[in-house]
Amino acid sequence: MDWTALFLSLRLAGWTVAILLPLSILSGRWLAYHRFRAKGLVEAMVMLPLVLPPTVFGFYMLLAFGRNSPVGDMWLRLFGHQLVFTFEGLLVASVIFNLPFAIQPSQRGFEAVPVEVREAAACCGLSPWRSLWKIELPLAWPGVLTAMVLVFSHTLGEFGVILMMGGSIPGVTKTIAISIYDRVQGFDMQGAAIMSATLVAISLATITATFMLSARIGRRLG
Amino acid sequence: MAPAVMALDAMAPEAMALEAMAQATAPIPLDFAFRVEPGELLALVGHSGSGKTTVLRTIAGLWRPTVARVSIGGRGWLDTAKGVDLAAHRRRVGVVFQNYALFPHLSAARNVMAAMDTPDPAGAARLLDLVNLHGLGDRRPAQLSGGQQQRVALARALARQPDALLLDEPFSAVDRATREKLYSEILALRAHLKMPVVLVTHDMNEAQLLADRLVVMDKGRMVCTGTTAQVMADPTALRAMGIREVAALLPATVVSHLPDGLTLLETPAGALFLPLLEAAPGTVVRVRIMAHDVILSRARPEGLSAQNILAGRITRIVAGQGPAVMVHIDAGGHEILARITRRAAETMGLQVADQVHAILKSMSVARDHIAAGAPAQGGD
């Protein structure tokens, strides 16, 4: 069992969720409430990582954030090391790669809040910020929660993007999924089996907890 | 209920008039201007698509026409010329939405408290008492009937301590029996409301029974404004409303309930027998008498099944384009309208200043055409 890799994966998934949660709420809400000419294009851009092969996505990430890119160059000057093949690099790729999972369910959640209810909140004197906290978020919560669960489990199991962007540096960028691949390559089927089962257990537990939580919220609203 | 009403009296210390006007051609055509006095109830009537809800949304800050001005007590909420546009949550309005728009995840009491500047559970309970929802504060909207949800919405609107109260088709989603009860409750509450009230409705009956003054809207344009009597005398308004909605509003006092299931009422024009009313003797009610239900006779008729015979004098005869004429009758200082055929008017030789008797079947007055409270007189 590669505990280092497991904790690295959990850390990456946790940070990805932490960064994407506010982004998911704000962009999902914004897309849900606004109509504009390029909306279809924006939605398509958000969904793009979903249809791209992870290796292709990782390749472009490598190009975009590598030493020869403006972003990579700026990062190098600011922090004295490269962005690619580091944990931060993985996190950046992971955040971008998970945008569709973070935004789409949350957008659907906010779309389910009736426009009259939002207007009623405003007419009750609630500022847009208080309306979000007191009225919209409690109603759109199942969507946001689904988004976060998808992001978490998806990051935990991601392989292609991580390998392209991070390589496989133990303790830095070697996540559990890559470690499993390594074990299989090294004919350590038992180690791979234990780690795979652990990943299945964690994913199952997360999804079960979400369903139970959603059902409780549903009962409360019903 | 008494202490609850007193709580309402203590609210909204300064009563201010509401003024609103707008002119726009797109995307929604609008052309209106009116003023609502403190404590006055103005009904915006018109068919669906006549722009009446847009007027309400403009006042509430949910819609901004190209050119518009909304002010309360002279303070500007919206003035497109001066670039003033207060966000909806900064305007002190109480709004009852058509489908109530209650917050589904909050209890009735929490819905009411959401509209308070500082949440006050005791105050919320008092407001719920006021709208006859005593003890239902813990229920969620889904656990309440349509009529109860409507009452929560009203309590929530009042909890905002609004400078203006806006009601958007508030009775359209409840059944007829509940609606009748709500009419009486609103009229009872009205005596204690010091703010201007704007009611949007497509139901002429509702508008006439509840409002002091009407504004008739058609295709976004205000075609007529005035008291019931004034609106009913305006041919453009009649066209916008539909001729079958023409009716007079007569004040009457309940005298007694008769053993045969009728209620005897007294009006300045004579006695009225109507189907049993749930109102104590002495109660003043407004009775809506549809123009097409009234028969005219020169002599006081005898041997007739119709029991209600009101004597009066013809003040106007208005001919329309169709086969009918509208006869305006002054009966004891109140106007009664009769829509009869042109042929009948000619045969009878009806002239202005003639004495006539207006005849009305007791059973032609529907239960929901009667509500407690005297109709407004005069106005501008």
Side-chain angles (χ1 to χ4, degrees), chain A residues 153-168:
Chain A
S153 345
H154 192 242
T155 309
L156 216 53
E158 183 45 43
F159 182 82
V161 178
I162 307 268
L163 197 60
M164 295 293 280
M165 185 74 177
S168 175

Side-chain angles (χ1 to χ4, degrees), chain B residues 75-92:
Chain B
R75 222 170 29 179
W77 276 352
L78 172 67
D79 191 338
T80 48
K82 290 185 187 157
V84 176
D85 185 6
L86 227 55
H89 70 276
R90 295 189 196 280
R91 304 184 187 193
R92 206 159 258 290

Side-chain angles (χ1 to χ4, degrees), chain B:
Chain B
M1 176 139 166
V5 168
M6 268 149 55
L8 198 62
D9 285 339
M11 277 176 18
E14 16 166 10
M16 298 176 285
L18 169 75
E19 284 178 280
M21 67 75 66
Q23 274 171 341
T25 48
I28 301 177
L30 274 182
D31 186 2
F32 68 87
F34 57 75
R35 181 186 161 95
V36 196
E37 300 300 330
E40 187 185 23
L41 197 156
L42 179 86
L44 294 177
V45 290
H47 297 297
S48 54
S50 61
K52 50 196 194 306
T53 293
T54 311
V55 174
L56 214 64
R57 294 172 62 81
T58 304
I59 298 172
L62 303 170
W63 180 255
R64 202 174 70 95
T66 329
V67 175
R69 211 167 45 236
V70 177
S71 68
I72 185 89
R75 222 170 29 179
W77 276 352
L78 172 67
D79 191 338
T80 48
K82 290 185 187 157
V84 176
D85 185 6
L86 227 55
H89 70 276
R90 295 189 196 280
R91 304 184 187 193
R92 206 159 258 290
V93 287
V95 185
V96 174
F97 290 83
Q98 187 164 6
N99 296 310
Y100 321 133
L102 295 178
F103 307 130
H105 60 300
L106 299 179
S107 67
R110 288 194 172 278
N111 262 279
V112 174
M113 277 193 276
M116 291 176 166
D117 295 328
T118 40
D120 166 18
R126 269 200 303 277
L127 278 168
L128 289 173
D129 283 356
L130 181 72
V131 294
N132 296 323
L133 285 180
H134 183 77
L136 297 180
D138 290 336
R139 300 251 185 113
R140 285 179 195 284
Q143 297 166 314
L144 295 170
S145 71
Q148 288 169 331
Q149 290 185 34
Q150 204 272 354
R151 291 181 168 100
V152 176
L154 182 62
R156 185 177 68 176
L158 292 173
R160 175 94 176 103
Q161 301 201 325
D163 289 336
L165 183 62
L166 310 176
L167 313 170
D168 186 7
E169 302 268 8
F171 311 105
S172 62
V174 292
D175 61 74
R176 198 187 175 107
T178 310
R179 195 154 57 210
E180 285 168 30
K181 246 167 81 189
L182 288 169
Y183 287 169
S184 320
E185 288 178 21
I186 288 265
L187 283 168
L189 208 59
R190 273 215 47 207
H192 303 275
L193 299 179
K194 297 193 197 103
M195 71 293 266
V197 184
V198 183
L199 166 75
V200 158
T201 179
H202 66 276
D203 185 338
M204 269 309 290
N205 176 47
E206 200 167 286
Q208 278 194 288
L209 286 180
L210 300 180
D212 301 313
R213 216 149 44 86
L214 312 179
V215 162
V216 181
M217 303 282 301
D218 187 29
K219 299 186 186 82
R221 214 163 52 80
M222 179 169 110
V223 291
C224 171
T225 175
T227 58
T228 282
Q230 289 166 333
V231 167
M232 292 301 161
D234 186 325
T236 355
L238 296 191
R239 264 199 301 282
M241 290 180 309
I243 200 79
R244 291 200 60 83
E245 288 291 353
V246 176
L249 208 55
L250 200 62
T253 311
V254 176
V255 176
S256 60
H257 302 295
L258 306 175
D260 59 358
L262 289 181
T263 295
L264 172 63
L265 299 106
E266 198 181 73
T267 77
L272 270 185
F273 292 91
L274 295 178
L276 191 64
L277 291 181
E278 281 172 35
T283 310
V284 177
V285 295
R286 13 170 95 181
V287 182
R288 185 173 184 238
I289 297 172
M290 306 298 296
H292 56 69
D293 283 338
V294 175
I295 298 172
L296 293 182
S297 166
R298 277 194 175 278
R300 189 174 179 85
E302 307 240 337
L304 199 67
S305 71
Q307 295 286 308
N308 302 311
I309 301 166
L310 305 171
R313 199 174 52 82
I314 297 178
T315 55
R316 278 174 81 185
I317 301 176
V318 184
Q321 283 159 351
V325 293
M326 193 67 71
V327 183
H328 296 244
I329 300 144
D330 176 359
H334 290 275
E335 188 167 69
I336 293 178
L337 299 172
R339 186 163 176 254
I340 61 174
T341 59
R342 191 192 301 259
R343 172 186 291 264
E346 279 165 9
T347 314
M348 289 168 75
L350 292 182
Q351 300 285 335
V352 169
D354 284 0
Q355 292 289 327
V356 285
H357 293 86
I359 302 155
L360 182 72
K361 276 186 71 176
S362 296
M363 291 305 167
S364 66
V365 179
R367 270 292 294 116
D368 63 352
H369 281 199
I370 305 162
Q377 293 296 308
D380 53 343

Side-chain angles (χ1 to χ4, degrees), chain A:
Chain A
M1 181 71 195
D2 187 347
W3 291 105
T4 316
L6 178 65
F7 284 129
L8 183 69
S9 283
L10 287 173
R11 195 152 69 96
L12 182 64
W15 274 106
T16 307
V17 166
I19 291 171
L20 281 176
L21 179 63
L23 207 68
S24 155
I25 292 171
L26 296 178
S27 343
R29 184 193 196 215
W30 198 83
L31 281 172
Y33 297 170
H34 291 88
R35 302 259 162 281
F36 53 96
R37 201 183 287 261
K39 188 171 179 179
L41 185 68
V42 171
E43 284 174 324
M45 294 280 283
V46 168
M47 291 303 279
L48 196 60
L50 202 63
V51 291
L52 280 183
T55 40
V56 172
F57 182 85
F59 174 71
Y60 282 117
M61 288 283 110
L62 213 49
L63 282 190
F65 298 117
R67 197 204 299 263
N68 298 327
S69 75
V71 180
D73 184 51
M74 203 174 71
W75 188 277
L76 188 65
R77 278 195 228 167
L78 276 176
F79 299 100
H81 62 84
Q82 280 201 74
L83 182 58
V84 292
F85 307 122
T86 62
F87 181 76
E88 291 84 354
L90 279 197
L91 190 56
V92 170
S94 176
V95 163
I96 298 174
F97 192 55
N98 275 296
L99 279 176
F101 301 100
I103 293 176
Q104 244 244 347
S106 160
Q107 182 184 343
R108 296 287 166 263
F110 281 104
E111 278 168 358
V113 181
V115 61
E116 313 89 73
V117 167
R118 274 156 44 206
E119 291 179 345
C123 291
C124 281
L126 299 180
S127 65
W129 184 245
R130 281 180 66 212
S131 170
L132 171 65
W133 272 115
K134 290 190 66 154
I135 309 298
E136 296 160 47
L137 210 46
L139 294 173
W141 187 237
V144 178
L145 188 67
T146 306
M148 291 308 109
V149 169
L150 285 176
V151 167
F152 187 83
S153 345
H154 192 242
T155 309
L156 216 53
E158 183 45 43
F159 182 82
V161 178
I162 307 268
L163 197 60
M164 295 293 280
M165 185 74 177
S168 175
I169 305 165
V172 182
T173 60
K174 187 176 180 181
T175 60
I176 184 94
I178 294 169
S179 183
I180 291 170
Y181 179 74
D182 276 359
R183 295 291 165 101
V184 174
Q185 290 283 300
F187 299 107
D188 177 6
M189 294 309 273
Q190 200 192 351
I194 293 172
M195 286 195 277
S196 296
T198 311
L199 215 52
V200 169
I202 293 174
S203 301
L204 199 63
T206 317
I207 291 188
T208 310
T210 313
F211 278 155
M212 281 165 66
L213 202 61
S214 303
R216 244 184 61 194
I217 294 172
R219 265 203 307 280
R220 219 185 50 186
L221 291 184

